[in-house]
Amino acid sequence: MEKLLLPTDINGFLAGRVLGQADLLRRISVSLYKHINGLPAPNVLLVGNSGTGKTTLMQAIAAFYDAYDALARFRVMVIVNANTLSAEIEGEDRTTRLFRKLEARAKVLFGADLTAGQLADYLENATVCVDEVDKISGRISGKANVEGITTQYALLTLLEGERFLYRATVLEDGREVEADLALDTGRLLFICGGAFEELYDQVYACLVNRRDERRLREVSEVDRKPDGSVSVRTVTRFKLRDYLRLADLFAYGMMPQFVSRFGSIAMLDDLGKDELRQILIHSAQSPLRLCLEYFRHMGIRLLVTEGAVAAVAEAAAKNSRIGARALREIFNGLIAAHEFDPTHSPQYAATDKGPTLTIDQEAVAQYLCRMD
């Protein structure tokens, strides 16, 4: 590359696509830097509530590889749901199935006429993102989950960086042949993520029931009133990142051997109203931007006021366990009736800028009131 990409450069690229999660993006940036420079790169385990941006991060990494021609050899990347690796398929083990997906992706990107050497290079430098990795827990409802344990062991083979013999279809002397590729899986980069929803309750119960030496910490908050008076109150707040230990993941059902293969375990912060507001306004797939295009297609200008945006973001922030999904759920519910018959909506009017549908703070408040 003409200019060496440093971790700060990678972070800047990712931060333009993933709002918030500053600590996580720094860790990922270091892993990506090491990966593209042939250094041992730490695999990353993401722990975060649904809707905090795990999938968005994975998509941003794919966009990073695509943005630079010099990173073409790293572009083979798959995002798989952990559950798709659970059940055995006759004649094909889980590891082979994963490499089948990588091979298919390589041939989509670079064509089907790859030599053994070319394909091996693409596969060894691939990035594997496993979503909903918490679903392969070794325990479900307090009972052993054999499928989950088996899948963890299958992934462990790759995470440990062992040589894996993989049979692929390649081009040799102008014709397609079957060839055995001895792949060094230690060069793969794994980014696995999951909501680990029960983990929050599990750790919280451990604290309140004093099952070990950890205790909930109290903090003092100052409340300044409009009349100038000040009051101080003591509150207890629980954030999983402040209390999580590896032992908690083991108790959840993740094998110690599996967890230890991740050089970085990153907690995703719940999205606050400021981050959710930015997502609603700027995210390419935000419900607001999709609705703008929908009404534009009808010849109607959609105007969502600043107050309305703030009200939607504040309501979504109260549903921290589903994050950005709450944003989509609230906004889509709010706009649904207007999408069906906009010209008869009380928010519709003919203006000097053309037919306009205005969603203001009052409209949001009325919708939220009906939902309560």
Side-chain angles (χ1 to χ4, degrees):
M1 299 182 65
E2 294 181 5
K3 177 181 180 295
L4 178 65
L5 281 171
L6 298 174
T8 51
D9 300 313
I10 301 171
N11 182 76
F13 183 95
L14 298 178
R17 289 159 175 78
V18 181
L19 296 173
Q21 314 300 354
D23 178 65
L24 166 64
L25 293 184
R26 286 192 289 267
R27 295 189 188 204
I28 292 289
S29 298
V30 170
S31 282
L32 290 177
Y33 175 83
K34 292 179 179 180
H35 181 58
I36 65 179
N37 285 285
L39 303 171
N43 299 310
V44 182
L45 178 62
L46 309 176
V47 178
N49 279 325
S50 177
T52 50
K54 296 183 293 295
T55 302
T56 301
L57 171 64
M58 295 172 184
Q59 293 168 344
I61 292 170
F64 167 69
Y65 292 141
D66 287 340
Y68 300 93
D69 291 339
L71 298 181
R73 67 188 299 218
F74 301 99
R75 288 179 182 163
V76 175
M77 174 174 170
V78 294
I79 302 175
V80 299
N81 189 294
N83 282 328
T84 65
L85 300 175
S86 293
E88 283 284 1
I89 296 177
E90 186 175 353
E92 184 175 82
D93 60 40
R94 292 167 171 82
T95 307
T96 300
R97 196 185 321 161
L98 183 56
F99 274 109
R100 288 270 180 253
K101 293 179 181 293
L102 291 171
E103 179 186 357
R105 182 60 182 157
K107 290 181 176 178
V108 166
L109 291 172
F110 303 108
D113 54 346
L114 297 175
T115 66
Q118 290 171 327
L119 181 58
D121 187 61
Y122 288 134
L123 298 186
E124 288 180 334
N125 287 289
T127 298
V128 178
C129 296
V130 183
D131 203 4
E132 296 195 10
V133 73
D134 51 318
K135 299 301 189 292
I136 58 170
S137 166
R139 293 190 184 88
I140 295 180
S141 300
K143 298 180 180 179
N145 175 26
V146 177
E147 285 290 347
I149 294 171
T150 306
T151 304
Q152 286 188 55
Y153 271 118
L155 287 172
L156 185 59
T157 301
L158 302 176
L159 291 165
E160 287 180 332
E162 297 181 359
R163 285 276 177 179
F164 181 74
L165 197 62
Y166 173 66
R167 173 155 290 193
T169 301
V170 297
L171 195 69
E172 184 178 297
D173 297 328
R175 60 190 181 88
E176 287 189 347
V177 298
E178 294 288 316
D180 289 327
L181 309 181
L183 301 175
D184 177 7
T185 64
R187 292 165 59 185
L188 291 166
L189 176 62
F190 279 85
I191 299 174
C192 301
F196 292 88
E197 291 179 356
E198 294 178 8
L199 187 61
Y200 291 77
D201 297 331
Q202 170 192 313
V203 175
Y204 184 75
C206 181
L207 293 169
V208 298
N209 293 318
R210 303 192 170 211
R211 293 173 185 161
D212 57 28
E213 77 284 1
R214 288 176 291 180
R215 299 290 182 270
L216 284 169
R217 294 188 289 271
E218 294 182 340
V219 296
S220 296
E221 290 189 350
V222 177
D223 184 16
R224 300 183 184 278
K225 298 179 180 178
D227 62 4
S229 61
V230 175
S231 63
V232 180
R233 59 178 178 171
T234 300
V235 297
T236 301
R237 299 195 184 280
F238 173 74
K239 284 189 176 182
L240 183 60
R241 69 159 59 246
D242 295 333
Y243 300 97
L244 183 66
R245 294 178 175 177
L246 289 179
D248 298 318
L249 288 169
F250 305 156
Y252 182 87
M254 311 310 291
M255 298 188 308
Q257 308 96 302
F258 181 78
V259 174
S260 67
R261 293 303 182 272
F262 292 90
S264 182
I265 298 177
M267 292 288 308
L268 282 84
D269 293 319
D270 290 339
L271 299 175
K273 62 182 180 181
D274 291 337
E275 291 86 2
L276 290 167
R277 177 183 173 278
Q278 291 298 314
I279 290 172
L280 185 59
I281 296 172
H282 298 296
S283 173
Q285 294 301 314
S286 84
L288 171 56
R289 291 173 69 93
L290 295 174
C291 277
L292 286 169
E293 183 59 32
Y294 173 80
F295 286 109
R296 188 179 297 117
H297 191 267
M298 289 186 168
I300 298 172
R301 184 172 72 109
L302 174 64
L303 175 62
V304 181
T305 68
E306 279 290 334
V309 169
V312 170
E314 186 172 356
K318 295 176 181 177
N319 294 275
S320 60
R321 296 297 278 265
I322 57 174
R325 288 183 172 84
L327 195 70
R328 184 165 58 247
E329 181 179 310
I330 292 169
F331 189 86
N332 287 343
L334 166 69
I335 205 72
H338 307 290
E339 285 184 316
F340 178 69
D341 189 8
T343 59
H344 288 86
S345 166
Q347 310 300 127
Y348 176 86
T351 72
D352 56 357
K353 294 185 178 180
T356 301
L357 182 71
T358 302
I359 304 298
D360 55 18
Q361 188 171 357
E362 183 180 353
V364 177
Q366 290 174 353
Y367 170 73
L368 294 174
C369 185
R370 293 197 301 270
M371 294 301 101
D372 287 341

